[in-house]
Structures are given as structure tokens and as C-alpha cells.
Amino acid sequence: MPENKTGAIEKGICSSCGLCSIQEWPMHESIQSCVFKNGWLGKREKKMFGRERKADNPEEMRFGIALERFTAQLEKPLPDAQWSGIVTNIALKAFESGMVEGVVTLHRNADNHFFSQPVLATTSEEIYASRGNKPVLSPVLTSLQTAYRKKLRKVLVIGAACHIHTLRDFQERFPYLHDMDIYTVGIPCVDNVQRSRFHWILERMSRSPRTACHMEFMQDFRIHIRHSDGTIEKVPFFSLPEELSNPDIFPESCMSCFDYLNSLSDITVGYLAAKLLPDQNRQWVIVRTEKGKKLLNLVDDELERHPEHGDWECKKFVQQNTERIIASMKDSKDSYSPDRKIPLRLGQVMSWLLNATGPKGIGFAHYSVDFHLIRHYYYVKYRCPEQLTVLVPQHVRSILQEYDLPL
Ligand SMILES: Cc1cc2nc3c(=O)[nH]c(=O)nc-3n(C[C@H](O)[C@H](O)[C@H](O)COP(=O)(O)OP(=O)(O)OC[C@H]3O[C@@H](n4cnc5c(N)ncnc54)[C@H](O)[C@@H]3O)c2cc1C
Ligand code: SF4
Ligand code: SF4
């Protein structure tokens, strides 16, 4: 394990998943399970499903191995959840039915609405209080320490892909969690940020950062920011200031991330391929394992289900952006302008047009996955080339070849 001059272990790329903060076992063991040391998917996917994703199945290559996929919303959405609250409802039902004794997740930080506080939730109230996104790097896995000390036998972990990868490896590699029956709910995750950067970014996105209380990058090519008075500000991606396109403002971990859709979770609950409709909060559910099916069964009769929709094809749409993305990953500019790339009004027209004519449903999810994996491949290639073989799973190279992009 690399050490610095003081003898402290150097973490290298790190998404602050929380495992290394645990004191119940040595940090050098935690770090051996780090996804940034072991790479994304590959052998881990094979261990879990008995095989890696199939290179001749375009949907599986992007969305991961699944037993079932559909879109849905809770008939009675949970107030203040991120979408309709399917994740929190699964957690509540898993706890109340006795399937698990505690939930490893996040609360909001008492001093900052958007920041997180890791928690082992062991009452319905504590689980309910975990709903909603905290859009910053978050040490979810820290609370495994509390679960271990309390000798819990059955635990649900809610996390992003870096949490779930590292957890799966750790549980298998070391004895500490062998006796813990762990269920996992995964959220899709991309473009996450460091706490120290969050407000700097929000101030550049929103006309009123102080009153912002909910935000999401939506399928209509706009960021929807809800304010405390209930109004929703919609900022087109194209009209963000140029300085927000500087790759250096994002954590190295999230720019080196190759599992947007959390393919090692038992069940992934996002929104990416769901229809965006006014007054609805449709979500996208990907059931991956038998345990995922059990989790789904807990809430299935409360779901209003819909089949996936949309045309798969989005190649031309992705290709419009590839040259620009590759160039921006290769060369860091000396300065990025604080001005909007495109005036707001024009940006609104462009997002309206793209929303009307661009990919939708599974086509939008296809586009978004490909866009990010292309961006991340070239980020790693140009900025930390020594990590390329370790971090990048094979299917990413196959997808780049579909676009005739150089490896
Ligand atoms: C940074 C970020 C980017 C995302 N990007 C996408 C995307 O591009 N496409 C997509 O489909 N979905 C994305 N999601 C997930 C999506 O926003 C919702 O969390 C998901 O659809 C669940 O909605 P819900 O109403 O069921 O969640 P809720 O019932 O409100 O529950 C949300 C759960 O997620 C946990 N959580 C919140 N923040 C974090 C965090 N930082 N790390 C780990 N766990 C967290 C909460 O503690 C809670 O347990 C993203 C989430 C985050 C945090
Ligand atoms: S990502 Fe997690 S396991 Fe990896 S170095 Fe950071 S805290 Fe440790
Ligand atoms: S983008 Fe990837 S590395 Fe960053 S927090 Fe999300 S899952 Fe972890």
C-alpha cells in the first residue's frame, strides 16, 4: 500500500465512500477493496452474476445485467422525497417487515440542507428522514461500523455505485461482514461534487442559491431547481457559465466513474429512462438479483407501473458532442469564462427543441450513459493514463468502437 513520508497510507483517487474511516478493522484492508484500486465491474460483475455483461446485447452493455426493467411511481408519493420516494418506501418496508434490522444511509446535515450525514437508521422515523438527494460526495459506508458494533445480522445499504462496488468486494474479501446478510438499493449517480465546491457551483447555476432546496438534471436538458417558495427555476444545460464545463471542478473519482447505473446493486431506482410528465414523478426501476426482487415485492402493490418507452437509437445525437468532449478532456484551458455559454432565452429554445426532437425514454438513457462513459474514458486516458487498464471495464471499449473512437 503506498505510504507518504509521514507513513500515512495514500488513498489516491477517492470518492470518500466512508469505508476507510472505519476503525473496527485496519484501514489498509478497507483500501484494498476500493473500487479505484480494483476497477469497475469486470471480475466483480462476473462473481456476482456468474458472467459479465454480454457484448452483443446493446441494452445490457449500457444498463447492466437485469431480471426486469420498468418505469413506475408510488401511487402515494412521499413528500420531500427526491422523486416519488420508491427508495425510501422500500427501506421502510424492509425494516418494518423484519427483513432488515437497520438501514445504512444518509440524513441531511443539520447545518446544510444539501450536505449529508451518514446514519444507521434503526427506526421508521430515522429511515423516513433519509429521503431526498444530498448531491455531494458522501461517506455512506461509515455506518457499517455502527452496524458491526451492534452485531446487526440483516442490513440494507442504500448507496451510489462506488459504495456498492467497494462494499461487495469488502464483504467477500475480509471476514468482518461475512455473517451480515446485506441487501442493497442503488441510485444512479453521475457528476457528483465535493462539499467544498458545491456552493460555488450552485451560485453559478441558480439565480437564487440561498433559497434552492431541491435540484435535479432532467431529461428535458435543463436543471430544475426548486426554491423554498415552491417555484421551479429551469436552467438549460447550454446556458450554464462556461466555467462549469471545466473538468477540474469535478472530483477525479466521479470523472473516473464507469458505473452510472449502479450495476452491482440488488435493485437500482433512478429516473433516467422514465417519461417526464408534468405533475408526475415517474421513476426507472432495474431489478438485478433475487434479493432485488424481494425488495421490489415489498412495495409492488403500491406502484403504478408503466413499460419502458422511447426509440433506442441516439448515435447521431451522441456523435454531435464527441469531438468537443474529447478536446475538453485533453486540454485544460487556462481560463474559463464566467459568462453563460448561450443566453438563457436561446438556451430555453434549444432545450425545448431537443426535448421535442431528441432521444426519449430508453433512448435518452442510452445517450446519457454513452455521453458520460466517453467523457470519462478520455478523462482517464489524458489525465491519469496509468489508471486506464485498471479502471475501465471492457464494455466501455466496445462502445467506443461503435462510435469509431480511438482507444
Ligand atoms: C449526485 C447524484 C446524481 C444523480 N444522478 C442521477 C441521474 O443522472 N439519473 C438518475 O436516474 N438518477 C440519478 N440520481 C438518483 C435520483 O436522483 C434519485 O435519488 C433516485 O431516483 C431515487 O429517488 P427516490 O424518490 O426513490 O429517492 P428517495 O426516496 O428520496 O431516497 C433517496 C435515497 O438516496 C440516498 N442518497 C441521497 N444522496 C446520496 C448520495 N450522495 N450518495 C448516496 N446516497 C444518497 C438518500 O439518503 C436516500 O436514501 C442521482 C443522485 C445523486 C445523489
Ligand atoms: S473511495 Fe472509499 S475505500 Fe476508496 S480510498 Fe476513498 S474512502 Fe477508502
Ligand atoms: S459519480 Fe461515481 S464515483 Fe462519484 S459519487 Fe457517484 S458513483 Fe461515486
Side-chain angles (χ1 to χ4, degrees):
M1 215 36 59
E3 291 182 6
N4 64 21
K5 283 181 194 155
T6 65
I9 295 173
E10 280 187 2
K11 288 185 179 175
I13 301 178
C14 169
S15 65
S16 307
C17 79
L19 196 69
C20 286
S21 313
I22 292 180
Q23 288 156 10
E24 245 357 91
W25 48 77
M27 178 181 163
H28 70 82
E29 293 188 352
S30 293
I31 225 170
Q32 281 180 55
S33 285
C34 181
V35 63
F36 300 101
K37 303 283 174 293
N38 298 319
W40 297 92
L41 300 161
K43 284 187 201 140
R44 190 99 326 265
E45 184 170 62
K46 192 166 180 186
K47 278 194 172 164
M48 186 165 153
F49 296 99
R51 65 176 179 88
E52 288 186 49
R53 56 191 66 197
K54 288 187 186 142
D56 61 353
N57 181 337
E59 293 188 13
E60 192 171 280
M61 282 229 282
R62 272 82 182 184
F63 305 158
I65 299 174
L67 299 173
E68 191 186 8
R69 301 194 319 248
F70 59 92
T71 71
Q73 72 169 25
L74 277 180
E75 280 163 1
K76 289 188 191 147
L78 298 187
D80 299 325
Q82 188 65 18
W83 284 76
S84 79
I86 294 179
V87 169
T88 304
N89 204 30
I90 289 177
L92 279 168
K93 295 287 163 13
F95 176 73
E96 286 164 4
S97 66
M99 186 186 271
V100 300
E101 299 159 307
V103 181
V104 169
T105 182
L106 302 170
H107 277 169
R108 292 199 183 281
N109 183 297
D111 301 324
N112 189 316
H113 178 78
F114 285 113
F115 289 4
S116 56
Q117 183 66 45
V119 66
L120 172 72
T122 53
T123 64
S124 298
E125 291 70 29
E126 285 171 353
I127 295 170
Y128 189 68
S130 69
R131 66 206 188 283
N133 276 4
K134 295 90 187 168
V136 288
L137 293 184
S138 295
V140 173
L141 298 185
T142 311
S143 304
L144 284 173
Q145 171 160 285
T146 326
Y148 179 78
R149 284 183 180 158
K150 287 188 164 187
K151 299 190 172 28
L152 296 199
R153 289 301 178 109
K154 299 175 289 180
V155 169
L156 173 69
V157 177
I158 302 172
C162 53
H163 302 121
I164 306 297
H165 265 74
T166 301
L167 168 67
R168 294 257 186 242
D169 189 276
F170 187 81
Q171 191 182 25
E172 187 195 284
R173 198 187 285 252
F174 297 104
Y176 311 100
L177 306 180
H178 273 177
D179 295 335
M180 206 181 266
D181 188 14
I182 299 181
Y183 288 76
T184 55
V185 177
I187 54 166
C189 183
V190 77
D191 295 337
N192 208 347
V193 298
Q194 307 268 17
R195 278 160 208 243
S196 55
R197 274 282 180 195
F198 179 80
H199 287 285
W200 185 89
I201 292 174
L202 184 62
E203 278 159 23
R204 280 151 186 80
M205 279 181 181
S206 174
R207 60 173 152 72
S208 172
R210 242 177 6 92
T211 57
C213 55
H214 185 282
M215 59 186 257
E216 193 76 82
F217 287 70
M218 301 290 265
Q219 305 96 315
D220 64 359
F221 303 91
R222 296 184 292 182
I223 304 162
H224 291 201
I225 303 170
R226 195 167 70 228
H227 292 277
S228 44
D229 64 359
T231 54
I232 298 180
E233 180 186 3
K234 297 180 180 176
V235 188
F237 300 163
F238 320 99
S239 298
L240 291 170
E242 195 205 27
E243 56 192 338
L244 291 186
S245 55
N246 178 358
D248 297 334
I249 66 175
F250 294 100
E252 228 182 349
S253 55
C254 301
M255 295 299 286
S256 317
C257 177
F258 291 94
D259 189 22
Y260 188 174
L261 294 178
N262 217 323
S263 317
L264 302 186
S265 64
D266 292 311
I267 182 168
T268 300
V269 184
Y271 64 89
L272 204 53
K275 219 177 227 174
L276 180 59
L277 294 165
D279 305 325
Q280 291 203 23
N281 287 309
R282 286 203 191 163
Q283 297 188 247
W284 189 32
V285 181
I286 308 177
V287 185
R288 303 192 183 279
T289 66
E290 289 303 319
K291 277 189 165 173
K293 254 199 221 169
K294 282 193 197 165
L295 291 169
L296 173 67
N297 287 344
L298 296 168
V299 300
D300 211 4
D301 59 358
E302 297 175 55
L303 293 180
E304 186 188 285
R305 277 189 183 226
H306 306 271
E308 288 179 338
H309 77 293
D311 290 333
W312 177 248
E313 200 41 60
C314 65
K315 191 166 183 177
K316 282 193 193 131
F317 202 71
V318 176
Q319 279 171 327
Q320 283 167 12
N321 294 303
T322 45
E323 232 172 84
R324 179 182 56 78
I325 308 170
I326 296 172
S328 68
M329 293 303 116
K330 193 170 187 175
D331 307 310
S332 263
K333 292 207 289 180
D334 289 339
S335 66
Y336 287 81
S337 160
D339 298 331
R340 290 187 189 282
K341 280 188 279 189
I342 290 174
L344 257 184
R345 217 176 264 258
L346 184 58
Q348 298 289 11
V349 175
M350 284 172 68
S351 42
W352 182 85
L353 266 177
L354 280 181
N355 191 30
T357 59
K360 294 194 184 46
I362 54 166
F364 182 80
H366 177 185
Y367 153 75
S368 195
V369 169
D370 286 9
F371 171 92
H372 286 100
L373 66 81
I374 292 170
R375 188 182 74 174
H376 296 178
Y377 181 83
Y378 289 102
Y379 178 91
V380 178
K381 180 176 162 111
Y382 293 128
R383 291 164 190 243
C384 28
E386 69 290 353
Q387 303 286 344
L388 208 57
T389 15
V390 182
L391 288 180
V392 183
Q394 191 48 40
H395 74 274
V396 171
R397 294 184 178 82
S398 310
I399 291 172
L400 292 177
Q401 280 166 347
E402 281 183 25
Y403 291 100
D404 295 323
L405 292 171
L407 292 177

